[in-house]
Amino acid sequence: ISFIIELSRTIDVINRLAQNDKVAFIARLFKKEFIDTDEYNIDQYEEYLHRLDYLSLKEINILIDLYLYSQKNGKEYHAEWYEFKQLAATRYNVTEDEIASVFAGLTRTGFCRESNMIFPSNKEIENPIYVTEYFKKFAEMILEL
């Protein structure tokens, strides 16, 4: 019964999508939660499905980018953040302030946090952002790593 109910919820989310690019993420999430395992974690699945429904594709991609960047570079949060912000601004054709604003909004998801370390800067003072363990679990579910 749980499988059928969650399949129905998943189809409902897919039907509301404005972009098909998120369908691959949803399909991987569904597969890993219901096909590749013997025990379902319905609460986790519903949380992740809600995040995929709620977040824009750009927001998801920016989070994934920060996650992969930090995995690749293994630097301290603050150095990683400032370097990443420059790269992301170029990639998404926006300003560094816009990248910071996107992440400020994304902190409400639990997928990223401010590090609560303030470092000197010749611009506005801000707390560096990093992805949480909660997002890392999510990324393992939706990405082909």
Side-chain angles (χ1 to χ4, degrees):
I1 293 174
S2 296
F3 177 86
I4 293 169
I5 290 170
E6 294 308 323
L7 178 61
S8 174
R9 287 183 180 160
T10 303
I11 291 169
D12 184 46
V13 169
I14 290 170
N15 286 335
R16 288 193 315 265
L17 288 178
Q19 296 176 314
N20 290 331
D21 294 341
K22 285 201 267 183
V23 173
F25 293 145
I26 293 169
R28 283 187 211 112
L29 175 65
F30 189 86
K31 180 179 182 285
K32 287 187 180 175
E33 189 59 57
F34 293 103
I35 308 300
D36 294 348
T37 186
D38 293 330
E39 293 184 30
Y40 306 146
N41 186 340
I42 301 297
D43 289 335
Q44 176 180 281
Y45 178 78
E46 287 180 351
E47 289 171 19
Y48 290 163
L49 182 62
H50 174 71
R51 298 298 191 282
L52 284 169
D53 185 25
Y54 176 75
L55 295 174
S56 73
L57 185 60
K58 178 182 172 184
E59 290 171 322
I60 294 167
N61 284 331
I62 287 174
L63 279 164
I64 291 169
D65 288 348
L66 179 59
Y67 169 66
L68 295 176
Y69 186 80
S70 63
Q71 294 283 73
K72 177 181 158 191
N73 293 307
K75 295 184 178 182
E76 292 182 45
Y77 290 139
H78 67 281
E80 166 189 306
W81 168 244
Y82 291 111
E83 292 169 9
F84 171 78
K85 196 169 54 164
Q86 291 174 336
L87 293 171
T90 301
R91 179 175 182 189
Y92 293 99
N93 197 28
V94 296
T95 66
E96 289 182 37
D97 287 340
E98 288 174 287
I99 294 295
S101 293
V102 167
F103 276 100
L106 287 172
T107 58
R108 73 188 177 285
T109 65
F111 282 165
C112 60
R113 286 194 184 133
E114 292 182 352
S115 65
N116 294 322
M117 295 183 276
I118 297 178
F119 295 94
S121 174
N122 53 357
K123 295 184 177 184
E124 281 188 42
I125 295 175
E126 63 182 281
N127 289 325
I129 302 289
Y130 66 96
V131 294
T132 62
E133 290 299 317
Y134 183 58
F135 179 77
K136 291 174 185 178
K137 286 172 128 177
F138 173 74
E140 290 172 8
M141 298 288 279
I142 68 164
L143 297 177
E144 294 177 316
L145 299 174

